[in-house]
Amino acid sequence: MTTSRETIRINEKRFLEDFSRLTRDGATPEGGLNRPALSEAHLAARATFRNMIQERGFSVREDTAGNLSACHTLPETGKPVLLLGSHLDSVANGGRFDGALGVAAAFEVLQVMRDNGADSEMPVEVIDFTDEEGTWVSLLGSRAMSGQLTQKDLTNPRGDPEAFQQALERAGLSISGLLDAARPADSLQAYLELHIEQGTRLERSETDIGVVTGMVGIHMFLITFLGQSNHAGTTPMNKRRDAALGAAEFCLMVQKTVMDNYPDCVATVGRMDFSPGAFNIVANRVTVFMELRSEDPTRAGALEQALRETSLNTSAKFGLKVDFQHLESVAERKMAPTIVEHFESSVDLLGLSSRRLPSLAGHDAQSMATLCPAGLIFVPSAGGFSHSFREYTPWEACVEGANVLLHTAMQLLKPSE
Amino acid sequence: MTTSRETIRINEKRFLEDFSRLTRDGATPEGGLNRPALSEAHLAARATFRNMIQERGFSVREDTAGNLSACHTLPETGKPVLLLGSHLDSVANGGRFDGALGVAAAFEVLQVMRDNGADSEMPVEVIDFTDEEGTWVSLLGSRAMSGQLTQKDLTNPRGDPEAFQQALERAGLSISGLLDAARPADSLQAYLELHIEQGTRLERSETDIGVVTGMVGIHMFLITFLGQSNHAGTTPMNKRRDAALGAAEFCLMVQKTVMDNYPDCVATVGRMDFSPGAFNIVANRVTVFMELRSEDPTRAGALEQALRETSLNTSAKFGLKVDFQHLESVAERKMAPTIVEHFESSVDLLGLSSRRLPSLAGHDAQSMATLCPAGLIFVPSAGGFSHSFREYTPWEACVEGANVLLHTAMQLLKPSE
């Protein structure tokens, strides 16, 4: 690299064209993206990315977890790789920016570094991770690469195990391949990712870049209220033990408890299952699907305890029993402090503003953090919309984020002086 | 009949043996019955009843709706028939007394009338109606017999239409047969039924017999709260439009509104469907399945209007929209006043107590009321349990009810003097 490297910027036009091309497969009429991992639309998007890699003269690398990369030099050179990337899959009926923007930005960074005379052995790799969104298994590709995947994760996918098997076959993948995709820690220098915030902290504070300090822990619970099934016509209202009432009051109390006493946490009731679930039978069993998130495990534990007490009070009030079951947690994860500082110095160099913040969503960077120093930046999300066709980030903000990614990558690749 | 007819009573031992035999097929370990209409267990129960009819020397009659009868004389005699009966099917995991008790009591009445010298042309028929519980189509057999069934009812069964078709074939029935099973009005003199109350009005007032004045109207609604799906981690609690909150508050308000202002009605939320229905997505759509019941259509309308206003207030509070859809109603239906009086004079003759009350559940008697004078009596339900293995009526109370049925049948058959 030359001494004028501080003035290097990404190519806005090429970046926009590449982003447009990477968000064409699975586009919905409303302007969103519908490409759940390993669906036909998702596989089409991967084929598009593969073509782009080859057209631009980079090497294609695909591992046995389906992670798809563009490499300036093949990994055989042996140098630890600087990995940049994100994911091309979406939730069902998601938006265009979640994932695809990060892949497009990383690919643009790779191109602009080559344009500016990086030597032929520049160990940079741009990756699209498999199933970040967890259509089948959350953070599937990055967990496979970082060796965190277990047989159990793969035999209990979300959705039908048989459908998962068929989806893997459609993509030319296999369970054994997924379990065999771990890379050694010393093969990676660092991992950097750009993503949309999916919230409004940056927008409200008019900040250009969010430098992520870590991911919140995510804690999932199944809370089952147990009453007595009975005839909906003949059972007097005051003689019922109606599980619906316990579940309904608990749902309202979850929101109230968080808003009143845990403003640093979020909690959501995303589903309730009624049994037997008929117009004319008082429900004897309602299962509430709840998750809570906090960057502080102590606070998460306190909120869980408060909600356990709430569930007991609510069930007593309606003559019910309750079973409060912890289902699964994803631990909070810190980003590497050195990378946080590199991001901030790039922000300064570019004359932008930034703030440190936790990520309230999971990202591939948290898998990679177990393997190498990892870092993540956010660009603002207009209105905070996420997992929706309303997802939107102004293009200037995307360009600013890509430039921060570029300069941070260049700092990390600079021979230590 | 002889002049000593006032002293005639049913044979308690035979009645108990017959009831036991009629509740053996599909018995559950907890002591309930699991024989949804046209299931193997239900067809086994019908075969048992058919054997009992033949063993006791009565004629079997089965119509094209699968209604199965015991006749003292074949209908070819041309006299209008006094029809007595109930149903042998149950809800999934229901109780032993709901339906089977009424068939056993009617069958015992037929036997004791023959024992006491009814002439060979006594036009009495004891019937088991098909699918009273509406596993497929509510009151299927009695609606078929009274000519109230439409093609539309049969092409939109509860559950899968293909499974319904298979169930009909298994039972040797057909759609065209169901539509062709109507009997002419002049073929029936009256219809009488004994059933358990499925509530606690008799038990609490220590009354032996409930004489039903009519069935409540049943009104079913689908109330859909519409918000915005969003990321359950990154969307701040105060920025959400969470359909779960509207549905939960509405569910609590249904109970409160009825208990505070409509003690003469009941209303039930038996199910809610969440969309997309995941731990990590704020629900954008929750559909509430609600029904309300009242014997007074004016009161039902007022309650519906109150709940419509509640749904609007609740949805406004949480930034939602609401769609309040009336799905279906079953109109209230009066029992014949002459039959009510006959029941009451039998109660007096037997030295029992009775009260008039509306039925809060649907019964085959309401179908038959469109064809001929129809009447229904209740015996008490211990604790009011219904559609549950906890269903129980003390045997003495069953015997008392059967004696009321017997004397009312004898009054109706007595040559007018």
Side-chain angles (χ1 to χ4, degrees), chain A residues 44-335:
Chain A
R46 296 173 75 113
T48 298
F49 183 42
R50 176 187 291 272
N51 288 339
M52 289 166 69
I53 296 169
Q54 291 170 329
E55 286 168 18
R56 306 291 162 86
F58 296 105
S59 309
V60 171
R61 181 180 188 182
E62 186 166 1
D63 68 16
T64 58
N67 299 310
L68 179 64
S69 305
C71 301
H72 183 50
T73 52
L74 285 172
E76 285 72 28
T77 62
K79 289 191 189 174
V81 162
L82 173 62
L83 192 66
L84 313 174
S86 194
H87 60 96
L88 290 176
D89 68 301
S90 80
V91 297
N93 291 307
R96 297 173 70 216
F97 292 82
D98 183 342
L101 180 66
V103 174
F107 192 53
E108 172 56 26
V109 166
L110 177 64
Q111 293 179 83
V112 74
M113 288 174 84
R114 183 177 61 181
D115 298 342
N116 284 277
D119 72 38
S120 66
E121 295 199 352
M122 177 182 75
V124 177
E125 177 177 343
V126 170
I127 196 162
D128 156 39
F129 282 115
T130 303
D131 197 13
E132 191 268 353
E133 297 290 3
T135 295
W136 304 104
V137 179
S138 193
L139 308 179
L140 178 61
S142 59
R143 285 167 68 196
M145 182 179 289
S146 56
Q148 298 177 74
L149 216 52
T150 65
Q151 183 84 45
K152 184 170 168 245
D153 296 325
L154 298 175
T155 49
N156 294 294
R158 291 182 196 168
D160 177 25
E162 202 172 312
F164 180 47
Q165 192 62 50
Q166 286 165 1
L168 288 176
E169 282 167 24
R170 189 163 56 226
L173 299 174
S174 68
I175 299 283
S176 61
L178 284 163
L179 291 171
D180 203 34
R183 291 199 197 179
D186 61 9
S187 67
L188 291 171
Q189 186 186 148
Y191 173 71
L192 304 183
E193 181 168 355
L194 176 154
H195 204 279
I196 57 168
E197 182 196 348
Q198 307 171 272
T200 56
R201 291 168 296 178
L202 296 176
E203 186 180 62
R204 278 182 293 156
S205 60
E206 298 187 349
T207 307
D208 300 318
I209 301 292
V211 180
V212 174
T213 51
M215 282 74 183
V216 294
I218 306 176
H219 309 279
M220 282 157 268
F221 302 89
L222 290 175
I223 302 108
T224 301
F225 291 88
L226 296 157
Q228 194 162 67
S229 64
N230 225 323
H231 194 293
T234 59
T235 317
M237 299 298 283
N238 62 354
K239 296 284 177 188
R240 299 178 175 202
R241 288 166 48 202
D242 185 347
L245 299 173
E249 183 161 295
F250 179 75
C251 176
L252 293 173
M253 286 301 294
V254 168
Q255 191 225 22
K256 183 172 162 49
T257 304
V258 173
M259 290 189 72
D260 288 356
N261 302 322
Y262 293 83
D264 51 325
C265 302
V266 291
T268 304
V269 170
R271 176 168 160 185
M272 296 185 196
D273 282 355
F274 281 62
S275 173
F279 273 109
N280 58 348
I281 309 180
V282 175
N284 69 328
R285 170 190 284 264
V286 179
T287 299
V288 176
F289 291 57
M290 181 191 78
E291 60 145 66
L292 61 88
R293 300 186 184 208
S294 170
E295 61 175 321
D296 177 350
T298 311
R299 291 287 287 167
L303 175 54
E304 175 187 337
Q305 192 50 42
L307 293 176
R308 280 185 185 272
E309 281 163 29
T310 296
S311 74
L312 289 171
N313 294 338
T314 300
S315 55
K317 176 172 168 183
F318 294 108
L320 309 172
K321 291 182 176 170
V322 66
D323 173 41
F324 197 112
Q325 189 195 339
H326 173 247
L327 186 68
E328 190 186 341
S329 283
V330 180
E332 57 288 338
R333 184 80 66 191
K334 293 287 173 211
M335 295 290 93

Side-chain angles (χ1 to χ4, degrees), chain B residues 194-216:
Chain B
L194 176 154
H195 204 277
I196 57 167
E197 182 195 350
Q198 306 172 275
T200 56
R201 291 168 295 179
L202 297 176
E203 186 180 62
R204 278 182 294 154
S205 61
E206 298 186 349
T207 307
D208 300 318
I209 301 291
V211 180
V212 174
T213 51
M215 284 74 183
V216 293

